[in-house]
Amino acid sequence: MLRHIAIRPAAGTWVIRAGGAVLGESSNALELSEGDMPGVIYFPRDDIAMAFLEPTEYRTLNQWIGEAAYFNIVSKSRTYENAVWSYETPKDEASELAGYLAFHVQDGVAVEQV
């Protein structure tokens, strides 16, 4: 059986910016590949300024990974709604993602390799 997802260490150092502020930088990020979709960078929670994140009630379900909990990013200029997600208790196949956060790249939110 082929795995639908692949998780591996993300090479180099990655930074997340929102509303002009750096929310975090990590050389311990993970990259998730899912099917033929572009890879997604996941940051360790310890490398993110959690004070900028506000939990929301929004949830989604990924059949391979599990339930994702969401956060708003609250910056001085605006709030990015449900722009961050985390698999608090991922399925066994994705257990490496526990304690990691991913960011919805959009106008004002950027994930970049530095």
Side-chain angles (χ1 to χ4, degrees), residues 45-63:
R45 200 174 283 235
D46 289 346
D47 292 346
I48 299 299
M50 294 299 291
F52 288 99
L53 305 187
E54 178 181 89
T56 73
E57 297 296 315
Y58 188 65
R59 300 288 184 271
T60 58
L61 186 62
N62 179 298
Q63 65 181 350

Side-chain angles (χ1 to χ4, degrees), residues 13-16 22-27 43 47-48 114:
T13 301
W14 293 82
V15 66
I16 173 69
V22 173
L23 300 185
E25 183 177 308
S26 182
S27 54
F43 289 81
D47 292 346
I48 299 299
V114 293

